[in-house]
Amino acid sequence: MFKLPKFLRKSSEEKVQDNTAKESMKAKYLAFQNLLSTNNQVLELMADLEEKLSGEYLFDMHYIKTNVQLIGYEIVKIIESLNALSYNKYSQFSQIQAGINREIEKILEYKMEVPVSDLTVPLENLTGGTVGIAGGKIAHLGEVKSNLNLPTPDGFAISAYAFIKFMDHNGLIEKISKKLSTLSIENLEELNKVSKEVQDIIIQTEVPPDLQESILSAYAKLCKKYGGNPMVSVRSSAIREDSEFSFAGQYATFLNVPGDLIIQKYKEVVASLFTPRAIFYYKTKGFSEGEMVMAVGVLNMVDAVAGGVMYSRDPNDPSTDHILINAVHGLGVTVVDGTVTPDTYTVSRHPEGTIIDRKISGQEKMLINAEAGELEEVPVPGDRKGKQCLTDEQIRILAKYALALEHYYGSPQDIEWAAGSDRKMYILQSRPLRILMPVTSGASLPTRFENYPIILDKGVIACKGVGFGKAFILQDDEELDNFPEGAVLVAKHTSPKFVTVMNKASAIITDVGSATGHMASLSREYQVPTILDTEVSTSVLQNGQEITVDAINCNIYEGKVPELIEYAQNKKEPFKETHLFKTLEKVLKWVVPLKLTDPESETFKPEYCKTYHDITRFAHEVAMQEMFGIGEEEDVEDTHTTDLSAGIPVDVHMLNIDGGVKENLKKATVEDVLSIPFLALLKGMKSMKWPGPPPVDAKGFFGMLAHSASVPENQLQETAKKSFAVISKNYVNFSIRLGYHFSMIEAYAGENINDNYIKFFFKGGGAAIDRRLRRLRLIKEILKAMGFRVNIKEDVMNAILTKYKQATIEDKLVVMGKLTAYTKQLDMAMFNDAVTDMYVDQFIKEHIKKS
């Protein structure tokens, strides 16, 4: 129940000093203002975070941490303002906020533990259980060698622990984290700049002496086994690589490296953790810099006469039960980077080893190991040109290996292999194959839409789906910085660098490339419809031309094909499956849900606040209640006020706490009032004629007299008290005495819709209880017609209306001003329910429906 303000109850002996009272109320009002402002900032931050849950926006872990920390900081400020308003009534909120913050930190402060190990570890000592030591790629290769006894190169891993020691050397971790912590991945120019700076720092740093010694010692053992100084490959094997996150093609691998350059290439592989595309990838997948740990594999270089990639199942159509083998003459690197169209062999799984289809590419040039190191491009020898890269027997051996690897790991595999000059078929890498779920729709999709012109109908589908947009013909990788949202990327060949625009691209088309390359794997991961190896897309398509890419039937249409677009709208959002997105979901469970929805509920208490949103909701509601009794703590009547001459039969005195009326006036007119909500109230009050009460029947009159006779003398004296308005530019708390009636109207009217509200309190009336209850019913029906939530206990009314635009709040306050005049002793005329209903209908018709 609401208590009457003290200024309507205090005796003359309890007066407080003028300045103290005013300053106290001003401080309270400023705390209220701060709470409203901070509350709005929190709601905006929450809305921005919730918007990211749509899956349509790009963000990284830094975005989540920064915004959630900012919300936590603003919640602390809200709690401080609430306690300033309520004289520390809600100090328990500090513990509640701290508890929520701890739960959020548990989610965000995951730190990868790197086990202590030898700085280098021989390949034969590695298994799938040593991923934390050697990274996924090399650990699994050791497992293939030791447990499956399949041919692999010999070599060793430079461990993850070695990486930590290297990065700690000269404080690299702190230097790099400082540069990357505030980096925006949406600014590709800044991304490229910071990436280069970080890579330069790493490459220019000395490797610790004990690590140098361990690497050279491990290499010496290879030299002893093979004689001389064998060439090696130096391959990335990041801890997260080849896991549920492929990181395909994001990190560096160096082939045909002489022994004296291993340490230099090691640093360059480590530096590749921070290429623009690698930074983009790990940030969009939700990892922090601390989780990016690089182990490195050093393997004896295979003198390859052919190489490539095979899939133990067709990733676009696993139901076919086929093995796909892509192969090129020479080193297989041109398959994975998509620069050469390879041979493709399709092999049956059941019956095992039957070659179902062969597509020979007609390869002109190939890469080989140069004698002095690095690679050399040479023509394909005449006796091999136009012929299969592999013999049928080699194809069957590879198919057998593919089935063995799939069986061992229990899932389809993406396998890199090489055919050595020693006639052995070597496994270089095996990782989980990303297989797309089939596209589903309520209707089957035609293979061709006859009413729309087809520009291209050939190529290899790397990722199924449909995309529409303007063609963006890529001439140079630097143009990726300017790639527009929703465009179709058209390029001569594939590149893992395209990952930086996969969040924007509606589809990807290339002249050259295979479905087994790194970029194809990334397309499937980001679920971008992709057609490769069209041969002529960059010459046939025009820059800016609108096209629809059907990467289900391998057709590219001119213009928009609505039927295809509609079919594709059931596409799953790949970003929603990422570690980053799931982290956001977990964090927001402590931020956004709102359980405290009903202020009248028994559970609308601090101990039931379980989220930041609950705290803001409770604080906002209670702040309004505290402001509603702003005169409760101080005696406004004895504070210096300004009299108002408004042409209404109400003795109004104003207490200005912040720009509510012109300064230094003993008496003010309506023209001097600056308070937006108070002006609206006065406008409504002045628009009424303020006549005497409507015609009175004898019962109403004598009911009033009987009630008056029972009222103590000191309460009768209250009817002569002044009415007070505590005002600022956007706020009013107006306590009105009209005879036996007491009402209080509080309102806030500002630019932010979340701040705005009107509260109304009503009590009193010199009539019998039935008449007073009819008057309450009249006011209730009118307020409900205005949109108020109304609560009545006995003959006391509380009502509230919140979150309307400023102009609407002003309009409703005008009506409230009219209602104040309308209800002046109106109960004297309400001698039955029918008359009450008549007055309700009359007021609504004349003052609400009109407005």
Side-chain angles (χ1 to χ4, degrees):
M1 291 285 291
F2 176 80
K3 293 191 296 182
L4 295 180
K6 281 184 181 177
F7 70 80
L8 296 177
R9 298 189 277 108
K10 279 191 172 184
S11 68
S12 59
E13 289 80 11
E14 295 174 306
K15 305 292 193 262
V16 292
Q17 291 184 346
D18 180 12
N19 287 340
T20 304
K22 185 173 181 178
E23 288 304 313
S24 176
M25 278 184 277
K26 186 169 184 178
K28 194 167 184 177
Y29 175 72
L30 290 176
F32 178 61
Q33 284 277 71
N34 289 336
L35 189 147
L36 291 182
S37 174
T38 309
N39 180 67
N40 288 325
Q41 290 177 41
V42 169
L43 292 176
E44 287 174 10
L45 288 167
M46 286 182 183
D48 193 68
L49 284 164
E50 285 186 282
E51 189 177 49
K52 302 302 181 287
L53 285 177
S54 68
E56 297 175 3
Y57 299 90
L58 193 63
F59 58 91
D60 59 12
M61 190 62 77
H62 176 70
Y63 165 82
I64 298 176
K65 288 182 176 179
T66 300
N67 282 276
V68 172
Q69 286 169 0
L70 186 55
I71 288 174
Y73 172 70
E74 298 296 333
I75 291 291
V76 171
K77 287 167 62 178
I78 286 175
I79 294 168
E80 290 171 350
S81 296
L82 179 63
N83 281 314
L85 268 170
S86 63
Y87 300 99
N88 233 26
K89 198 184 297 181
Y90 300 101
S91 57
Q92 69 265 49
F93 267 124
S94 295
Q95 289 186 341
I96 294 171
Q97 186 276 334
I100 294 171
N101 188 57
R102 281 193 298 272
E103 294 299 328
I104 291 172
E105 285 181 346
K106 285 179 190 176
I107 298 168
L108 294 179
E109 288 188 351
Y110 171 79
K111 187 174 181 181
M112 178 175 287
E113 296 295 331
V114 174
V116 176
S117 70
D118 292 340
L119 299 179
T120 57
V121 183
L123 188 66
E124 56 268 22
N125 293 349
L126 297 173
T127 67
T130 59
V131 169
I133 293 173
K137 184 187 295 184
I138 300 302
H140 288 301
L141 189 64
E143 190 167 48
V144 169
K145 183 181 186 69
S146 303
N147 292 6
L148 276 77
N149 295 315
L150 296 181
T152 70
D154 291 314
F156 59 91
I158 306 174
S159 69
Y161 181 64
F163 168 83
I164 297 299
K165 291 202 71 171
F166 172 58
M167 295 298 282
D168 279 343
H169 196 59
N170 294 329
L172 279 181
I173 292 175
E174 290 77 12
K175 291 177 185 177
I176 292 169
S177 294
K178 187 176 180 181
K179 285 187 173 292
L180 293 175
S181 60
T182 58
L183 177 65
S184 170
I185 54 175
E186 293 182 335
N187 185 339
L188 292 182
E189 184 179 344
E190 181 68 12
L191 179 62
N192 289 327
K193 176 177 174 290
V194 172
S195 168
K196 186 177 186 309
E197 291 172 358
V198 170
Q199 290 183 78
D200 287 346
I201 290 172
I202 293 170
I203 291 169
Q204 291 165 14
T205 297
E206 288 293 320
V207 173
D210 56 344
L211 178 53
Q212 289 193 46
E213 183 181 342
S214 183
I215 292 171
L216 294 176
S217 174
Y219 176 66
K221 291 176 183 176
L222 275 181
C223 294
K224 185 176 180 180
K225 182 171 183 177
Y226 288 94
N229 298 305
M231 296 292 189
V232 295
S233 63
V234 182
R235 301 169 68 92
S236 68
S237 187
I239 301 303
R240 294 283 187 186
E241 197 172 0
D242 288 358
S243 62
E244 60 179 303
F245 308 96
S246 72
F247 287 88
Q250 300 309 302
Y251 304 133
T253 287
F254 297 98
L255 303 179
N256 205 35
V257 176
D260 59 353
L261 289 180
I262 292 174
I263 290 174
Q264 175 63 25
K265 295 304 178 185
Y266 169 72
K267 292 194 292 182
E268 291 180 28
V269 170
V270 170
S272 72
L273 270 173
F274 305 103
T275 62
R277 62 181 185 268
I279 293 172
F280 182 93
Y281 185 94
Y282 82 71
K283 280 183 172 286
T284 58
K285 294 299 180 182
F287 301 112
S288 63
E289 290 75 39
E291 294 176 84
M292 294 297 100
V293 176
M294 178 67 80
V296 174
V298 179
L299 305 175
N300 184 54
M301 189 68 198
V302 176
D303 182 25
V305 295
V309 174
M310 65 176 167
Y311 292 162
S312 63
R313 287 186 184 270
D314 184 341
N316 285 318
D317 193 1
S319 64
T320 57
D321 208 31
H322 293 162
I323 298 168
L324 298 183
I325 301 173
N326 283 176
V328 293
H329 295 290
L331 296 169
V333 64
T334 55
V335 175
V336 295
D337 67 16
T339 55
V340 169
T341 300
D343 288 2
T344 300
Y345 311 118
T346 305
V347 184
S348 171
R349 294 164 54 92
H350 302 96
E352 183 180 324
T354 302
I355 301 171
I356 298 170
D357 188 35
R358 316 162 200 262
K359 293 180 180 174
I360 312 304
S361 67
Q363 182 182 349
E364 294 288 336
K365 294 185 177 181
M366 65 181 189
L367 285 177
I368 62 170
N369 296 323
E371 286 188 16
E374 297 189 348
L375 307 180
E376 182 181 356
E377 187 178 68
V378 298
V380 174
D383 61 341
R384 294 163 61 187
K385 189 179 293 187
K387 296 181 180 178
Q388 287 184 191
C389 301
L390 300 174
T391 66
D392 287 359
E393 180 59 25
Q394 288 174 317
I395 293 171
R396 281 188 279 271
I397 290 172
L398 284 177
K400 181 180 179 181
Y401 289 173
L403 291 173
L405 288 164
E406 181 180 306
H407 177 75
Y408 182 81
Y409 286 111
S411 65
Q413 294 291 295
D414 173 353
I415 305 154
E416 191 175 335
W417 57 270
S421 57
D422 58 2
R423 298 182 179 277
K424 283 186 180 180
M425 306 299 291
Y426 290 92
I427 300 299
L428 305 179
Q429 179 180 347
S430 186
R431 62 184 174 199
L433 174 63
R434 190 171 297 275
I435 291 181
L436 290 180
M437 297 303 292
V439 180
T440 59
S441 179
S444 60
L445 184 70
T447 56
R448 182 177 291 246
F449 288 89
E450 299 297 338
N451 295 331
Y452 300 94
I454 289 179
I455 304 172
L456 275 172
D457 60 358
K458 63 180 180 178
V460 174
I461 296 171
C463 178
K464 287 188 174 183
V466 174
F468 165 77
K470 292 183 178 180
F472 183 89
I473 311 296
L474 187 71
Q475 304 294 341
D476 189 282
D477 286 350
E478 291 181 0
E479 294 176 359
L480 291 171
D481 293 355
N482 303 317
F483 187 84
E485 186 78 35
V488 176
L489 178 61
V490 183
K492 290 186 183 301
H493 55 76
T494 62
S495 169
K497 290 181 181 179
F498 296 170
V499 71
T500 58
V501 298
M502 284 185 180
N503 62 302
K504 298 179 181 179
S506 62
I508 297 174
I509 308 167
T510 68
D511 292 350
V512 176
S514 74
T516 55
H518 283 321
M519 196 219 75
S521 179
L522 290 168
S523 291
R524 290 189 289 274
E525 189 168 341
Y526 282 86
Q527 294 191 23
V528 182
T530 302
I531 300 178
L532 310 177
D533 200 30
T534 63
E535 299 179 2
V536 294
S537 61
T538 55
S539 57
V540 171
L541 299 173
Q542 303 299 313
N543 201 48
Q545 181 181 14
E546 286 193 341
I547 56 174
T548 299
V549 179
D550 175 3
I552 298 170
N553 297 303
C554 205
N555 294 321
I556 300 170
Y557 292 87
E558 183 178 355
K560 189 173 186 177
V561 182
E563 294 89 341
L564 273 171
I565 304 302
E566 182 180 353
Y567 182 88
Q569 284 174 348
N570 293 327
K571 182 178 108 171
K572 190 177 182 182
E573 292 290 347
F575 194 40
K576 290 187 176 182
E577 304 303 314
T578 64
H579 168 69
L580 177 63
F581 194 88
K582 292 181 186 301
T583 299
L584 177 62
E585 286 182 317
K586 290 177 185 176
V587 166
L588 289 193
K589 286 179 181 177
W590 292 99
V591 176
V592 169
L594 181 63
K595 299 198 172 107
L596 269 66
T597 55
D598 182 7
E600 304 300 323
S601 168
E602 287 294 318
T603 60
F604 200 85
K605 297 174 182 177
E607 56 266 33
Y608 291 98
C609 290
K610 304 300 181 185
T611 68
Y612 281 157
H613 202 167
D614 284 339
I615 295 176
T616 63
R617 176 71 180 92
F618 182 90
H620 189 267
E621 182 68 29
V622 171
M624 290 191 294
Q625 294 173 12
E626 292 292 334
M627 287 301 293
F628 199 52
I630 194 169
E632 176 70 10
E633 318 306 333
E634 310 293 349
D635 198 331
V636 178
E637 183 177 6
D638 297 292
T639 304
H640 175 70
T641 58
T642 302
D643 297 347
L644 177 66
S645 176
I648 54 176
V650 184
D651 187 12
V652 181
H653 300 264
M654 299 178 294
L655 175 61
N656 178 31
I657 55 175
D658 188 20
V661 67
K662 292 177 182 176
E663 296 287 347
N664 304 318
L665 296 175
K666 290 184 178 180
K667 195 161 192 174
T669 65
V670 174
E671 288 72 26
D672 298 317
V673 176
L674 304 175
S675 172
I676 294 168
F678 191 37
L679 274 174
L681 270 173
L682 292 173
K683 180 180 178 182
M685 295 173 77
K686 285 175 63 64
S687 69
M688 302 296 278
K689 290 184 178 179
W690 291 84
V696 183
D697 72 309
K699 288 183 180 179
F701 178 72
F702 288 113
M704 183 200 76
L705 291 181
H707 179 73
S708 299
S710 66
V711 176
E713 184 180 350
N714 65 330
Q715 289 191 28
L716 285 172
Q717 290 171 356
E718 294 287 342
T719 65
K721 285 224 171 188
K722 305 169 184 177
S723 295
F724 287 91
V726 180
I727 58 174
S728 75
K729 181 181 178 183
N730 300 105
Y731 174 79
V732 63
N733 185 303
F734 191 23
S735 302
I736 314 164
R737 270 290 183 186
L738 293 172
Y740 290 101
H741 300 200
F742 171 73
S743 65
M744 183 182 285
I745 300 172
E746 183 186 58
Y748 192 96
E751 292 181 359
N752 195 306
I753 193 171
N754 290 316
D755 295 344
N756 298 336
Y757 67 92
I758 304 172
K759 293 189 79 172
F760 178 73
F761 172 85
F762 188 90
K763 179 176 174 58
I769 187 66
D770 60 332
R771 309 264 175 146
R772 299 204 306 274
L773 292 178
R774 287 191 190 108
R775 182 185 60 244
L776 279 173
R777 186 168 68 82
L778 174 138
I779 297 171
K780 180 184 81 171
E781 295 302 325
I782 290 172
L783 290 179
K784 286 178 71 175
M786 293 172 65
F788 279 80
R789 299 195 308 271
V790 183
N791 183 39
I792 295 176
K793 291 184 180 178
E794 297 181 352
D795 64 343
V796 175
M797 173 184 293
N798 283 284
I800 187 169
L801 178 146
T802 60
K803 298 186 179 180
Y804 281 83
K805 291 180 180 178
Q806 178 179 317
T808 306
I809 291 286
E810 290 180 59
D811 290 343
K812 290 185 182 292
L813 285 170
V814 170
V815 178
M816 293 295 292
K818 293 178 179 180
L819 182 61
T820 300
Y822 193 70
T823 56
K824 182 178 181 292
Q825 296 182 342
L826 193 60
D827 58 309
M828 309 254 322
M830 289 187 288
F831 46 86
N832 62 42
D833 289 341
V835 172
T836 302
D837 292 339
M838 178 190 73
Y839 283 123
V840 170
D841 293 341
Q842 178 184 324
F843 188 88
I844 291 174
K845 181 179 179 181
E846 292 183 3
H847 303 294
I848 296 179
K849 289 189 175 178
K850 278 186 178 180
S851 62

